Amino acid sequence: MRLLSKGSKMYSILFNKCPKCHIGRFWATNNPFRNMIFSTKNICKSCENCSLSYELEIGFWYGSMYVSYAISVGIMLIFWTLTNFFYPSINVLNEILIISFAIILISPLNYHISRLIWINFFIKYTPNNTF
């Protein structure tokens, strides 16, 4: 199976698809910045194709905070490495400001992707509409 072909977890995550059928949308829009600002309006409650309810249980989305934390740590490490590589004599305060700005700027994308990753941990792809 190819990494970005229908049926892979990456397909569902990168193309905003339902983790079960890979046809319906998970988010109402593909724009992470709109999803973050208008989050209550842009979250689909269930898939329009297979009727999978996206909130598997009460408090299900609390786990996506762990995924979001891991993504944030990765972003911090990348920006820390880049600032130390290109500016070895950078002031620590400036380095913290650059990393903080990067985290804030990328937070809508982080929110968008972390929920998709989290639900893909628990839902398996079911091909050919055999629901």
Side-chain angles (χ1 to χ4, degrees):
M1 180 177 11
R2 292 185 162 198
L3 186 63
L4 288 177
S5 64
K6 193 172 183 179
S8 69
K9 300 281 186 187
M10 280 301 245
Y11 179 84
S12 173
I13 293 166
L14 293 178
F15 295 110
N16 184 29
K17 297 296 180 186
C18 169
K20 186 174 181 181
C21 68
H22 287 195
I23 295 172
R25 286 184 160 183
F26 180 79
W27 292 96
T29 67
N30 288 333
N31 185 345
F33 294 94
R34 282 193 76 169
N35 292 337
M36 182 89 171
I37 294 168
F38 306 110
S39 64
T40 56
K41 294 178 183 177
N42 287 332
I43 295 175
C44 296
K45 301 293 181 194
S46 63
C47 177
E48 65 262 7
N49 184 54
C50 68
S51 301
L52 171 72
S53 175
Y54 290 143
E55 188 161 353
L56 302 181
E57 60 187 36
I58 295 173
F60 174 72
W61 296 116
Y62 286 118
S64 69
M65 290 188 299
Y66 295 106
V67 176
S68 177
Y69 176 75
I71 292 170
S72 295
V73 169
I75 292 167
M76 285 185 228
L77 286 173
I78 288 168
F79 275 89
W80 177 78
T81 305
L82 289 174
T83 54
N84 283 316
F85 180 75
F86 289 112
Y87 306 105
S89 61
I90 192 169
N91 183 357
V92 175
L93 180 62
N94 290 337
E95 191 173 25
I96 290 170
L97 289 174
I98 290 170
I99 293 170
S100 299
F101 181 72
I103 289 296
I104 291 169
L105 191 65
I106 297 172
S107 66
L109 182 62
N110 189 353
Y111 177 73
H112 182 87
I113 294 291
S114 65
R115 284 188 169 220
L116 280 162
I117 291 171
W118 184 247
I119 197 165
N120 272 282
F121 280 144
F122 300 99
I123 305 295
K124 185 180 176 187
Y125 173 66
T126 308
N128 301 329
N129 295 332
T130 55
F131 310 121

mmCIF file of all heavy atoms in Angstrom, residues 6-7 19-23 49-50 124-131:
data_model
loop_
_atom_site.group_PDB
_atom_site.id
_atom_site.type_symbol
_atom_site.label_atom_id
_atom_site.label_comp_id
_atom_site.label_asym_id
_atom_site.label_seq_id
_atom_site.Cartn_x
_atom_site.Cartn_y
_atom_site.Cartn_z
ATOM 1 N N LYS A 6 -5.445 5.983 -1.062
ATOM 2 C CA LYS A 6 -6.657 5.804 -0.283
ATOM 3 C C LYS A 6 -6.542 4.502 0.502
ATOM 4 O O LYS A 6 -6.173 3.471 -0.031
ATOM 5 C CB LYS A 6 -7.861 5.752 -1.216
ATOM 6 C CG LYS A 6 -9.167 5.885 -0.526
ATOM 7 C CD LYS A 6 -10.280 6.012 -1.546
ATOM 8 C CE LYS A 6 -11.590 6.219 -0.845
ATOM 9 N NZ LYS A 6 -12.676 6.376 -1.785
ATOM 10 N N GLY A 7 -6.843 4.557 1.762
ATOM 11 C CA GLY A 7 -6.716 3.401 2.634
ATOM 12 C C GLY A 7 -5.604 3.560 3.654
ATOM 13 O O GLY A 7 -5.545 2.820 4.629
ATOM 14 N N PRO A 19 -11.786 8.938 8.684
ATOM 15 C CA PRO A 19 -10.853 7.823 8.844
ATOM 16 C C PRO A 19 -11.445 6.463 8.484
ATOM 17 O O PRO A 19 -10.712 5.528 8.194
ATOM 18 C CB PRO A 19 -10.463 7.883 10.316
ATOM 19 C CG PRO A 19 -11.523 8.658 10.973
ATOM 20 C CD PRO A 19 -12.093 9.582 9.950
ATOM 21 N N LYS A 20 -12.754 6.363 8.449
ATOM 22 C CA LYS A 20 -13.384 5.073 8.166
ATOM 23 C C LYS A 20 -13.608 4.838 6.677
ATOM 24 O O LYS A 20 -13.288 3.786 6.147
ATOM 25 C CB LYS A 20 -14.716 4.961 8.912
ATOM 26 C CG LYS A 20 -15.359 3.609 8.803
ATOM 27 C CD LYS A 20 -16.592 3.525 9.678
ATOM 28 C CE LYS A 20 -17.223 2.156 9.599
ATOM 29 N NZ LYS A 20 -18.416 2.078 10.429
ATOM 30 N N CYS A 21 -14.157 5.816 5.956
ATOM 31 C CA CYS A 21 -14.495 5.615 4.538
ATOM 32 C C CYS A 21 -13.558 6.337 3.576
ATOM 33 O O CYS A 21 -13.520 6.009 2.400
ATOM 34 C CB CYS A 21 -15.932 6.036 4.272
ATOM 35 S SG CYS A 21 -16.230 7.818 4.416
ATOM 36 N N HIS A 22 -12.831 7.328 4.055
ATOM 37 C CA HIS A 22 -11.933 8.155 3.244
ATOM 38 C C HIS A 22 -12.662 8.878 2.107
ATOM 39 O O HIS A 22 -12.065 9.215 1.099
ATOM 40 C CB HIS A 22 -10.772 7.332 2.677
ATOM 41 C CG HIS A 22 -9.768 6.964 3.718
ATOM 42 N ND1 HIS A 22 -8.534 6.512 3.387
ATOM 43 C CD2 HIS A 22 -9.809 6.978 5.072
ATOM 44 C CE1 HIS A 22 -7.846 6.246 4.476
ATOM 45 N NE2 HIS A 22 -8.615 6.525 5.514
ATOM 46 N N ILE A 23 -13.948 9.110 2.288
ATOM 47 C CA ILE A 23 -14.734 9.850 1.292
ATOM 48 C C ILE A 23 -15.243 11.158 1.888
ATOM 49 O O ILE A 23 -15.044 12.225 1.327
ATOM 50 C CB ILE A 23 -15.906 8.991 0.765
ATOM 51 C CG1 ILE A 23 -15.351 7.786 0.015
ATOM 52 C CG2 ILE A 23 -16.825 9.817 -0.128
ATOM 53 C CD1 ILE A 23 -16.389 6.771 -0.379
ATOM 54 N N ASN A 49 -20.866 10.492 4.513
ATOM 55 C CA ASN A 49 -20.920 9.287 3.686
ATOM 56 C C ASN A 49 -21.261 8.033 4.508
ATOM 57 O O ASN A 49 -22.194 7.320 4.189
ATOM 58 C CB ASN A 49 -19.586 9.092 2.951
ATOM 59 C CG ASN A 49 -19.621 7.924 2.020
ATOM 60 O OD1 ASN A 49 -20.488 7.832 1.163
ATOM 61 N ND2 ASN A 49 -18.684 7.017 2.177
ATOM 62 N N CYS A 50 -20.493 7.779 5.551
ATOM 63 C CA CYS A 50 -20.677 6.531 6.319
ATOM 64 C C CYS A 50 -21.358 6.737 7.666
ATOM 65 O O CYS A 50 -21.564 5.791 8.414
ATOM 66 C CB CYS A 50 -19.334 5.830 6.521
ATOM 67 S SG CYS A 50 -18.193 6.717 7.603
ATOM 68 N N LYS A 124 -10.347 2.388 12.001
ATOM 69 C CA LYS A 124 -9.701 1.667 10.906
ATOM 70 C C LYS A 124 -10.463 1.913 9.606
ATOM 71 O O LYS A 124 -11.692 1.963 9.591
ATOM 72 C CB LYS A 124 -9.676 0.171 11.219
ATOM 73 C CG LYS A 124 -8.934 -0.648 10.218
ATOM 74 C CD LYS A 124 -8.946 -2.111 10.601
ATOM 75 C CE LYS A 124 -8.258 -2.914 9.503
ATOM 76 N NZ LYS A 124 -8.373 -4.330 9.717
ATOM 77 N N TYR A 125 -9.732 2.022 8.520
ATOM 78 C CA TYR A 125 -10.330 2.199 7.190
ATOM 79 C C TYR A 125 -11.104 0.952 6.802
ATOM 80 O O TYR A 125 -10.624 -0.167 6.929
ATOM 81 C CB TYR A 125 -9.233 2.498 6.171
ATOM 82 C CG TYR A 125 -9.706 2.524 4.745
ATOM 83 C CD1 TYR A 125 -10.588 3.496 4.299
ATOM 84 C CD2 TYR A 125 -9.271 1.564 3.837
ATOM 85 C CE1 TYR A 125 -11.021 3.529 2.988
ATOM 86 C CE2 TYR A 125 -9.696 1.588 2.523
ATOM 87 C CZ TYR A 125 -10.567 2.563 2.107
ATOM 88 O OH TYR A 125 -11.003 2.593 0.801
ATOM 89 N N THR A 126 -12.338 1.145 6.333
ATOM 90 C CA THR A 126 -13.175 0.056 5.867
ATOM 91 C C THR A 126 -13.472 0.292 4.383
ATOM 92 O O THR A 126 -14.264 1.168 4.045
ATOM 93 C CB THR A 126 -14.491 -0.002 6.668
ATOM 94 O OG1 THR A 126 -14.186 -0.021 8.044
ATOM 95 C CG2 THR A 126 -15.297 -1.220 6.297
ATOM 96 N N PRO A 127 -12.861 -0.469 3.479
ATOM 97 C CA PRO A 127 -13.027 -0.204 2.044
ATOM 98 C C PRO A 127 -14.378 -0.668 1.495
ATOM 99 O O PRO A 127 -15.087 -1.453 2.121
ATOM 100 C CB PRO A 127 -11.886 -0.992 1.417
ATOM 101 C CG PRO A 127 -11.630 -2.100 2.374
ATOM 102 C CD PRO A 127 -11.942 -1.556 3.746
ATOM 103 N N ASN A 128 -14.691 -0.163 0.327
ATOM 104 C CA ASN A 128 -15.852 -0.598 -0.471
ATOM 105 C C ASN A 128 -17.197 -0.438 0.217
ATOM 106 O O ASN A 128 -18.097 -1.241 0.012
ATOM 107 C CB ASN A 128 -15.684 -2.052 -0.936
ATOM 108 C CG ASN A 128 -14.435 -2.217 -1.770
ATOM 109 O OD1 ASN A 128 -14.019 -1.303 -2.451
ATOM 110 N ND2 ASN A 128 -13.837 -3.383 -1.693
ATOM 111 N N ASN A 129 -17.332 0.587 1.048
ATOM 112 C CA ASN A 129 -18.618 0.896 1.694
ATOM 113 C C ASN A 129 -19.232 -0.292 2.419
ATOM 114 O O ASN A 129 -20.438 -0.493 2.408
ATOM 115 C CB ASN A 129 -19.611 1.452 0.669
ATOM 116 C CG ASN A 129 -19.143 2.772 0.116
ATOM 117 O OD1 ASN A 129 -18.433 3.513 0.788
ATOM 118 N ND2 ASN A 129 -19.517 3.077 -1.107
ATOM 119 N N THR A 130 -18.424 -1.112 3.072
ATOM 120 C CA THR A 130 -18.947 -2.228 3.861
ATOM 121 C C THR A 130 -19.064 -1.799 5.306
ATOM 122 O O THR A 130 -18.323 -2.239 6.164
ATOM 123 C CB THR A 130 -18.030 -3.466 3.741
ATOM 124 O OG1 THR A 130 -16.701 -3.066 4.128
ATOM 125 C CG2 THR A 130 -18.028 -4.016 2.339
ATOM 126 N N PHE A 131 -19.963 -0.928 5.572
ATOM 127 C CA PHE A 131 -20.126 -0.388 6.921
ATOM 128 C C PHE A 131 -21.109 -1.203 7.659
ATOM 129 O O PHE A 131 -22.053 -1.095 8.117
ATOM 130 C CB PHE A 131 -20.492 1.104 6.879
ATOM 131 C CG PHE A 131 -19.582 1.888 6.001
ATOM 132 C CD1 PHE A 131 -20.089 2.593 4.927
ATOM 133 C CD2 PHE A 131 -18.220 1.908 6.212
ATOM 134 C CE1 PHE A 131 -19.261 3.320 4.109
ATOM 135 C CE2 PHE A 131 -17.401 2.631 5.396
ATOM 136 C CZ PHE A 131 -17.915 3.329 4.337
#
